[in-house]
Amino acid sequence: MEIILWIIWAGTYLFGAVRFELYIVHMFQQNSYKPREYREWLAVKSNVGRILGKILYAVISLPLLLVGGKGCLFAACLLNIMTILVNKPRHAKKPLVYTARVKRLFATTGIIFAVAAAVAVAVTAAISGAFSVAGWKMVCAFVLTVLFVLIPFVVLLANWLNHPIEQGINRHYINDAARILKEMPNLTVIGVTGSYGKTSVKYFLSKLLSVQFSVLHTPGNYNTTLGVVRTIREQLKSFHEIFICEMGAREVGDIKEICDLVHPRYGIITSIGPQHLQSFHSIENIIHTKFELADAVPDDGKVFLNYDNEYIRSHQTNKNVISYGTGNGETCYTAYDISVSRNGSAFKMKDGNGREFEFHTKLVGNHNVQNIAGAIAVANTLGIPMEKLLYPVKQLESVPHRLQLLKQGSRTVLDDAYNSNKSGFRAALDTLAMFEELRILVTPGMVELGERQYQENEEIGEYAHDKCDYAVLVGKEQTKPIQDGLLKSGFPEKRMILVDSIEEAFQMVNAIPDERQKVVLVENDLTDNYQ
């Protein structure tokens, strides 16, 4: 009987340990495999509580084993089983991707566990002189339980041990991508970066340039060095004339690293704002990093700058600048006479010769017009006449989750769920305010703002008070600053609804009385490491 109980304990322990490690590696992956960002995630109070909940049974079952006896062993097994059932993994918005790197991480973690257990048994046997089976089982149980508790740090250790291997593999891929680019001397590379708007501009520009050129752009969120490398190695062909390379950054030097690989001839900086302050630490670091793209553009190249953005407009650069915007500053390409309806937007622009053109798009929101203006500026500069851009602009589709207009029966949804920032949030609220339907805001607020997180979210709450009729806030603690901002501005408390998940949020949206048709703005949808 005792042997069976030990087998059950070991099986449930291993099952729980593997499940816990999967969760930790998933979070490590969501933090871009960056130890510093991962350690900052570990330090967040809510994450500490979540981790403690997952390791609690390992901590409690160990003393039961040490007490000994079939009763305690049975209780330890029961505790393991109950905790496993309670800690079922939630559905992930972005599931763990079992890359080669993740598999190597698991292998190294397994080796660490095996070596630690073997060393502990050997040392104990050497010290005691004689080693019983019962003693062997207890030592193994003790070591494995301790390692279970330390899995968040064992993963860091495994990553450190694997670092030379990962560097070697990455360098091989980077060198191969550099070779491919070197074999295409006539390829024109356009870099796109910004705190927000870069993905939209990338897609819009790709559509417009495709009128005249063979274009490749980095897909999805492939905006890291390795994402760019993968795109080059797997998708770049000899017939491509233009490569549009989205460049993301979380730390100073990230943009430069990509530029050193692709050597952009043109660069677009769409925006700068207080995003990822948790890793950048200051707005000055963000400005410096985004302008690493401008620094990389050659003297005979051009940098396209969004002069609606104060940080961009006030930053000095000695490169050839072509500015664009919606009239908040003197620009080379200005979108003006902007009109917006639920069917889309219309605006006017002039070319370099002063000829006026009126553009129509299915997209809504001033910042969509701003992003289209940037794409038009680049396409026209590269030789595509404005009249050839009228139809492609009309055919532009919303980029998924970036103020995407969706029809759901009688309800309209403005899906702006991707990685919210203050400027984009305000622009989305301005768009919501234009609708005559019952206006409902659904949001968990903004994250990764460091010390400014409370202030920025409170200010958004204040700004939102007259832009929506109902506010459905996801996360009672997470959205406390927005709640304070709304109430501070006189928003009716009875029209502020607090929920725990996005699923519950839409249940509450459905429950709101149908005073008139509803339009719902979904602003931000936190990634799994913030859930």
Side-chain angles (χ1 to χ4, degrees), residues 188 190 205 208-209 212-213 242 265-268 297 300-305 320-324 331-334 349-353 359 372-389:
T188 297
I190 303 173
L205 180 58
L208 299 191
L209 289 176
Q212 193 165 302
F213 303 100
I242 294 177
R265 181 173 180 78
Y266 301 98
I268 312 167
V297 169
D300 61 346
K302 290 181 174 63
V303 181
F304 296 83
L305 301 179
N320 296 321
V321 170
I322 294 180
S323 57
Y324 68 90
T331 57
C332 303
Y333 287 85
T334 304
M349 286 188 78
K350 292 180 180 179
D351 64 8
N353 298 318
F359 289 88
I372 294 171
I376 290 173
V378 178
N380 187 238
T381 301
L382 266 62
I384 302 180
M386 293 287 247
E387 51 265 32
K388 287 186 69 174
L389 297 173

Side-chain angles (χ1 to χ4, degrees), residues 47-121:
N47 295 333
V48 172
R50 194 171 294 117
I51 289 170
L52 287 175
K54 292 180 181 298
I55 67 174
L56 189 61
Y57 75 92
V59 176
I60 296 176
S61 69
L62 177 62
L64 291 173
L65 294 177
L66 295 177
V67 169
K70 291 180 182 178
C72 288
L73 187 54
F74 177 80
C77 293
L78 189 62
L79 181 64
N80 284 7
I81 294 168
M82 289 177 60
T83 313
I84 286 172
L85 292 174
V86 170
N87 279 329
K88 287 182 179 178
R90 294 182 300 176
H91 173 72
K93 297 167 188 171
K94 185 178 179 183
L96 174 65
V97 181
Y98 290 90
T99 62
R101 178 171 184 169
V102 164
K103 292 174 184 175
R104 288 190 291 270
L105 201 59
F106 279 128
T108 304
T109 304
I111 292 170
I112 291 171
F113 268 61
V115 169
V119 168
V121 170

Side-chain angles (χ1 to χ4, degrees), residues 208 359-360 386-396:
L208 299 191
F359 289 88
H360 294 267
M386 293 287 247
E387 51 265 32
K388 287 186 69 174
L389 297 173
L390 294 174
Y391 183 73
V393 167
K394 198 171 185 177
Q395 296 303 112
L396 290 175

Side-chain angles (χ1 to χ4, degrees), residues 243-381:
F243 176 41
I244 303 173
C245 179
E246 181 180 345
M247 302 177 179
R250 287 177 175 266
E251 296 178 349
V252 174
D254 283 354
I255 302 295
K256 182 180 184 302
E257 184 176 76
I258 300 174
C259 289
D260 288 345
L261 168 66
V262 302
H263 303 293
R265 181 173 180 78
Y266 301 98
I268 312 167
I269 303 179
T270 63
S271 60
I272 293 177
Q275 194 172 26
H276 300 312
L277 273 174
Q278 190 170 321
S279 55
F280 275 115
H281 301 297
S282 72
I283 191 68
E284 289 74 21
N285 285 339
I286 298 175
I287 295 170
H288 175 77
T289 302
K290 300 307 179 186
F291 270 87
E292 289 172 356
L293 173 56
D295 296 340
V297 169
D299 292 337
D300 61 346
K302 290 181 174 63
V303 181
F304 296 83
L305 301 179
N306 174 15
Y307 268 26
D308 285 350
N309 186 276
E310 180 184 352
Y311 295 113
I312 294 176
R313 192 170 61 246
S314 60
H315 189 81
Q316 299 298 314
T317 178
N318 58 0
K319 298 302 171 74
N320 296 321
V321 170
I322 294 180
S323 57
Y324 68 90
T326 57
N328 293 330
E330 191 65 33
T331 57
C332 303
Y333 287 85
T334 304
Y336 57 94
D337 288 352
I338 302 170
S339 61
V340 180
S341 71
R342 62 180 301 169
N343 297 317
S345 307
F347 60 94
K348 295 176 181 177
M349 286 188 78
K350 292 180 180 179
D351 64 8
N353 298 318
R355 294 184 300 163
E356 183 180 77
F357 297 84
E358 183 169 338
F359 289 88
H360 294 267
T361 174
K362 293 178 283 188
L363 309 184
V364 296
N366 188 72
H367 65 304
N368 267 325
V369 172
Q370 185 185 88
N371 292 332
I372 294 171
I376 290 173
V378 178
N380 187 238
T381 301

Side-chain angles (χ1 to χ4, degrees), residues 410-474:
S410 62
R411 181 171 66 196
T412 299
V413 174
L414 291 170
D415 182 355
D416 201 35
Y418 181 80
N419 205 17
S420 183
N421 58 80
K422 189 176 181 180
S423 178
F425 204 148
R426 290 168 69 100
L429 286 168
D430 289 338
T431 304
L432 178 66
M434 294 186 303
F435 285 83
E436 295 179 355
E437 290 89 343
L438 188 70
R439 304 163 303 173
I440 304 171
L441 169 65
V442 175
T443 184
M446 300 176 290
V447 296
E448 295 186 340
L449 296 174
E451 295 178 354
R452 293 177 58 174
Q453 184 143 321
Y454 182 92
Q455 177 187 344
E456 296 285 337
N457 278 287
E458 184 184 40
E459 289 176 3
I460 277 294
E462 292 181 46
Y463 189 77
H465 84 279
D466 60 347
K467 307 292 191 300
C468 60
D469 301 303
Y470 283 88
V472 183
L473 306 178
V474 184

